[in-house]
Every structure is written in structure tokens, then in C-alpha cells.
Amino acid sequence: MALRTRLCEMLDIEHPIISAPMAFAAGGRLAATTTGAGGLGLIGGGYGDADWLECEFAEAGNARVGCGFITWSLAKRPQLLDVVLAHNPVAVMLSFGSPMPFARPIKAAGATLICQIQCMNHAREAVAAGADIIVAQGAEAGGHGLVRATLTLVPEVADYLAKAASATALVAAGGIADGRGLAAALMLGADGVLIGSRFWASSEALVNPAFQDRASAADGDSTIRTTVVDIARKIAWPDPFTARVMKTRFVEDWHGREAELAEPAAVDREMHRYVSAMQRGDPDNTGVWVGEAAGLIKDVRPAADLMREIVRDAEHLLRDRALSLVRAP
């Protein structure tokens, strides 16, 4: 048995799995490995650094990969889209802002336009922009997002697309880390999944092992949605987005005290604390960017091994367990 959905046909991939373009974590090696294992890997464009992007596309070699951008940040450096399009990406993903200014050049370059959304208004905007693929991201996801849960957002978007844009493929994201999540997403009406946290805890991710170890020892209750990690980094994320990170000492020191943290003396001091701890691999005094799927992560392994396991387990669940639950009257 092999899982084949229209996402596979659209992206010319073997498995309906995309690795998330996680800022600072999803480099060329992770993207290329994901693609080599039968999915599609996306390099994380993050807040925009042309030299970093060039380096990571070089790291990906000749692999078929794509790239993802934080859309409101890309709007400040729109030339970065040209940098990426020059590498002939399979797809470009836009998240956290209107895709309208960038949709036309992406599609004109022959790349697949992926729009990540967190609510129904975002979904309608993505359809208006001509999205080829919509990623419905639930609040369980690590990093930035809103408040809708994957379990209800995905089927609601599926119903909407069936009426408004039936040619647009749907991908589920948020809390999906194993074969159970992939199988469930397909049953909810998705054509595939976008996986972040589980690939964040892979050998190829650009993540300090100390942070991966902390997440692997945690459960999903160990994460929280907060803004303190953005205040401390002096990154002005637009309302109403918040970030899901682990409840580290840094986060617990300041969550609920955001106004105090934003005071000039405090934020200068705490930014130094945050950045230096990130650089030296001290998870207590910085942000650890992982979602509720932390409770499903028990180890750090090569991304190709994770891909094979996720697909194998999903196939088993859909072939054997699903049938075992259906009884003749």
C-alpha cells in the first residue's frame, strides 16, 4: 500500500509530507533530506538574510526544494523573493501576512504558491490570491500562530475549499508528528501534512542538541503561547500572532509581565540574556521553539528515518486499524 494524494501529484513527490520552513532551523540539508526521502523540503526564509539563503540553497545542492517566508517581514525586503526565485524553487510558502503582493511573481516564475493560514479569513484571502496549496495551521504548532485548533480548522477549510476552490490542495499543520497525525489529517479532508516540530528534532535541523534534548524529555503541557520571546528579541510581530515555545525559565520569568519586559533597560538586558543563551545552547535562559508535539518526540533521528516511520505507520493505520473498526451490521 502507498499513500498517494493529489498533493503528491501536484508536487511530484512520493509521500504527502512537507517539512516546515522553520526560521533558523530548516536549512538546505534538512530540506534536501526530506525531498530525498520522498517528501518536499522547504528552506526557512525567516526574517530575511540573502547570504544565509544563498548558503542554504547551496547546501541543498540539486535537490528539488522550496522556501518559506514570513510574509510581513518579506514585505520589508521584497528583493529576497527574487533571490529565492533565481534558484527555481518547487514551491514558495507565505505565512503571516497578505500573500497578494507576492502571489503573481511566484506563480509567474513557475513555482507552486503555498499559503499558510490560521483562520477562515486567511483561507479566503489565500484563495483570492490564487493559492495552489493552503496549509491550515492549528494552534498546537510550534512557533507563531493563532488560536484555532487543527482538529476543527482543517475540516472547516476542507469544506470551504470544496465549494470555493476545489482545485486548491489542503495541507494540515499543527501537532502532527507521527503516522497517527498523518492518517488523521487525511481523514479530516487534507491532502497531506506539513510537519515542523518532529523535523526540528532531526539530525539535519539547524538546532542545538541541548534544545532538542530538552524537548525530547518534555510533554505537550510544557509549551505555552506567549509574546515574551518576541519582545526580548525586539521583533515586532503584528497582532494577534503569538508564539508557542517551551516553558523555559526565561519564558516563565516574563510571561504575564510583558509591559515590564518591554521597558528599555529590561529589554536590553534580557535580549543579551536570550541571545547569549541561544548561542551557547542554554535552554533555560532563552526560547525553545517547539510545539505541543514535543510530547510525541522521544529522540533525535535522521529526517529520512522519521519520514519512513511516519508513512509506514499511517499506511498501517489506514489499511488495518481503520478496517478493524468497521463491523458488518
Side-chain angles (χ1 to χ4, degrees):
M1 179 181 179
L3 296 176
R4 294 290 296 177
T5 72
R6 62 176 175 167
L7 183 71
C8 300
E9 306 300 328
M10 183 177 293
L11 297 175
D12 191 21
I13 55 179
E14 183 180 359
H15 308 304
I17 297 175
I18 303 171
S19 64
M22 300 167 284
F24 309 116
R29 185 175 173 221
L30 176 58
T33 301
T34 303
T35 293
L40 177 66
L42 301 180
I43 293 171
Y47 299 95
D49 183 319
D51 290 341
W52 188 90
L53 285 166
E54 293 287 6
C55 178
E56 295 307 322
F57 269 99
E59 185 71 22
N62 295 322
R64 298 177 67 253
V65 300
C67 186
F69 284 107
I70 296 169
T71 315
W72 63 261
S73 184
L74 177 62
K76 298 179 180 180
R77 302 179 182 88
Q79 67 275 13
L80 292 173
L81 180 59
D82 294 328
V83 171
V84 167
L85 293 178
H87 290 277
N88 298 313
V90 174
V92 175
M93 180 167 138
L94 303 175
S95 310
F96 314 116
S98 173
M100 289 293 187
F102 308 107
R104 183 172 296 176
I106 290 170
K107 294 172 75 73
T112 298
L113 173 61
I114 305 176
C115 293
Q116 182 168 257
I117 62 95
Q118 293 80 28
C119 64
M120 293 307 300
N121 280 341
H122 292 171
R124 287 184 277 271
E125 189 173 36
V127 167
D132 300 300
I133 299 169
I134 286 179
V135 176
Q137 180 203 40
E140 300 93 325
H144 290 90
L146 291 182
V147 296
R148 288 292 307 271
T150 306
L151 189 65
T152 55
L153 180 60
V154 171
E156 186 175 356
V157 176
D159 290 346
Y160 164 68
L161 291 179
K163 296 178 180 179
S166 59
T168 302
L170 175 61
V171 170
I176 299 167
D178 57 21
R180 293 172 294 184
L182 172 55
L186 296 177
M187 291 300 95
L188 291 173
D191 299 292
V193 296
L194 180 127
I195 296 178
S197 293
R198 191 61 189 99
F199 287 133
W200 175 92
S202 69
S203 308
E204 295 85 357
L206 299 174
V207 179
N208 190 296
F211 301 153
Q212 295 174 323
D213 290 344
R214 177 63 63 89
S216 298
D219 57 30
D221 295 347
S222 301
T223 70
I224 188 172
R225 299 210 70 87
T226 187
T227 61
V228 299
V229 288
D230 293 325
I231 296 171
R233 297 182 301 159
K234 299 184 181 180
I235 298 178
W237 266 80
D239 291 333
F241 295 110
T242 60
R244 183 174 294 283
V245 295
M246 291 196 67
K247 298 175 185 175
T248 62
R249 183 190 308 159
F250 180 93
V251 170
E252 295 193 309
D253 281 350
W254 289 108
H255 186 71
R257 300 169 58 204
E258 290 80 4
E260 184 180 348
L261 175 60
E263 291 294 324
V267 74
D268 286 345
R269 182 185 68 248
E270 293 304 291
M271 183 177 186
H272 174 74
R273 174 188 174 190
Y274 184 104
V275 173
S276 61
M278 178 67 71
Q279 291 172 342
R280 69 176 182 268
D282 172 9
D284 287 325
N285 290 293
T286 191
V288 178
W289 294 74
V290 68
E292 289 184 355
L296 305 176
I297 298 170
K298 305 305 178 187
D299 54 18
V300 177
R301 281 186 283 145
D305 290 352
L306 297 175
M307 177 79 77
R308 284 190 289 268
E309 179 179 88
I310 291 168
V311 171
R312 182 197 67 214
D313 291 351
E315 290 174 349
H316 166 73
L317 289 168
L318 293 170
R319 181 187 61 228
D320 299 329
R321 178 162 173 74
L323 290 176
S324 74
L325 297 174
V326 178
R327 296 286 187 271

